[in-house]
Amino acid sequence: MERIDFTKCRRIFGKAYNGANGKKIAVEYGGGVYMLKFPPSAKNRPTDLSYTNSCFSEHIASSIFRMLGIRTQETLLGTFQVAGKTKVVCACRDFTADGKILYDFCSIKNTILDSEHGGTGTELSDIMESIEKQQFVNPVMLKEHFWNMFVADAFLGNFDRHNGNWGFLYDPVSQNAEIAPVFDCGSCLLPQADEAVMERVLRDENEMNARIFQFPTSAVKEQGRKIHYYDFLMEGQHEECNEALLRIVPRIQMDMIRNFLKDIPYLSKLQRTFYQTYMQGRWEKILLPAYDQAAGQMESC
């Protein structure tokens, strides 16, 4: 398990990053530019943690996205000394360091002049309409990316994939655009779960099932209500989503994920067990039934 101390890395003061969850700075490491994400304070949140586990969630979820063949930001875990305290941070390789510009989907959505909805709206029908009408990348490819991301988020329990944390990269030199790597996965894997919650969920099947079937929900909405992953996937009403299930679910190798978790530094034994059990549960109880149903629908066509 490699343990990296980013404290003495050269800071890059010409770069700054927005976002609501935690402090962020740019540093140079290993010849590349990385955004260091610090754990946000859990003050006034329903947890006994001083800081949330979002840095662990960011690294684990981003790594699993890559295991599933989805282009995703590169991440590393390490530490940083702040006012005499050692904090575990997530280093995210800056995919705009070569001069490309990141435009989130919210910004792209605002370019659709004949839409009645604003950029921040996450109603599914509106997102699909905006994907069809945007002129930055191939709509078919973008729709496939969206649904791949949705299925992976369902696996990892992401409750915050809003329009501000996925999008496009634009190269001002070539004037070409591409789909940006997946980023901002810190809302996966129940980042506010403290040790007491983890122990309770591992001990009580009802507690686990609540966090599989009831919450977290998706940030995407249907008819004004946030989507429940299990209900939505089992309804099987969206052909492109069913196709994404057939693409993504066979790529989930739980043995590989378990081995990956064993090698992550800074995690406690309880955290490793919790993350492994939680993902196993979502895989078995959400994705596998939805996959079997989608495969059955495909065979009957």
Side-chain angles (χ1 to χ4, degrees), residues 71 103 105 108 130-146 166-170 175-180:
R71 187 178 175 221
Y103 290 113
F105 188 67
I108 302 305
S130 298
I131 287 176
E132 291 286 353
K133 291 183 175 180
Q134 58 77 34
Q135 299 180 10
F136 285 76
V137 299
N138 184 307
V140 175
M141 293 177 58
L142 184 58
K143 191 174 292 187
E144 180 176 308
H145 173 73
F146 172 85
W166 68 285
F168 307 143
L169 288 177
Y170 177 74
Q175 298 186 344
N176 291 323
E178 61 184 294
I179 299 171

Side-chain angles (χ1 to χ4, degrees), residues 6-50:
F6 292 105
T7 308
K8 295 183 179 180
C9 290
R10 185 178 74 86
R11 284 191 60 176
I12 302 172
F13 291 97
K15 291 191 73 71
Y17 306 97
N18 62 11
N21 290 322
K23 306 293 185 180
K24 304 174 181 72
I25 62 172
V27 301
E28 186 179 280
Y29 175 77
V33 177
Y34 284 81
M35 173 182 66
L36 293 190
K37 298 185 75 171
F38 290 75
S41 173
K43 186 177 181 180
N44 298 323
R45 300 188 188 189
T47 175
D48 289 335
L49 293 172
S50 298

